[in-house]
Amino acid sequence: MATAHPDRYLLRAKDLIDARYTDPLDTAALAARACCSEAHFIRSFKRAFGETPHQYLLTRRLERAAALLRATDYSVAEVCLNVGLASIGSFTTSFRRVYGMSPTEYRAAFPPAARLVPIPTCVVMAHARPSRNGEDRGPERR
């Protein structure tokens, strides 16, 4: 069975979700963007992309949340709000369902970003070396 190529209007709505996943997007607004009724939009979107618009939006938000948990030291609450979700409880439940662990456990499974980027030896040595005129390497004088 061949899959139908998604219509242009569905791609416009999908692109809107991808670009503005942090905004409060609802199905009615997305259907309006796609120039069709809400019910038709939801059915067509699911047929074309394999999940409802709401599921797709949640997937994008959770992917971004996982990236923030790996790469930043934001609290779980900050990550939740940063990706456009309002309820930490719902965020944690959805995150656990998709990733198999809580956001806190997920973060603990990845090393802090600072350990991923080694500091070059030449930078460490230059910082440890005393200045040429024998003065302390304190704050620069103006």
Side-chain angles (χ1 to χ4, degrees):
M1 179 173 133
T3 7
H5 181 36
D7 292 327
R8 192 175 266 163
Y9 71 91
L10 291 174
L11 291 174
R12 280 198 305 260
K14 182 176 175 279
D15 288 345
L16 179 65
I17 293 172
D18 289 336
R20 299 180 56 196
Y21 65 89
T22 61
D23 294 348
L25 298 172
D26 62 358
T27 311
L30 293 169
R33 176 71 174 206
C35 302
C36 60
S37 75
E38 207 171 328
H40 177 72
F41 172 68
I42 292 170
R43 282 191 309 272
S44 300
F45 195 97
K46 184 167 183 172
R47 188 176 333 109
F49 302 113
E51 54 190 350
T52 66
H54 175 73
Q55 291 167 332
Y56 184 80
L57 174 61
L58 183 60
T59 300
R60 295 291 81 71
R61 288 175 171 171
L62 292 176
E63 287 172 352
R64 181 63 183 145
L68 289 173
L69 289 167
R70 287 190 310 267
T72 70
D73 60 354
Y74 294 165
S75 70
V76 171
E78 288 173 309
V79 169
C80 173
L81 296 174
N82 196 313
V83 299
L85 297 168
S87 167
I88 296 171
S90 296
F91 167 61
T92 302
T93 301
S94 297
F95 195 92
R96 183 182 299 276
R97 187 177 60 247
V98 172
Y99 290 94
M101 59 184 83
S102 73
T104 305
E105 293 167 336
Y106 183 84
R107 170 175 277 153
F110 293 92
R115 290 194 308 191
L116 295 176
V117 181
I119 300 172
T121 306
C122 61
V123 172
V124 173
M125 297 303 290
H127 182 67
R129 189 172 44 230
S131 67
R132 291 183 185 211
N133 60 6
E135 294 177 5
D136 255 350
R137 285 183 145 294
E140 288 187 29
R141 296 181 191 171
R142 294 180 187 218

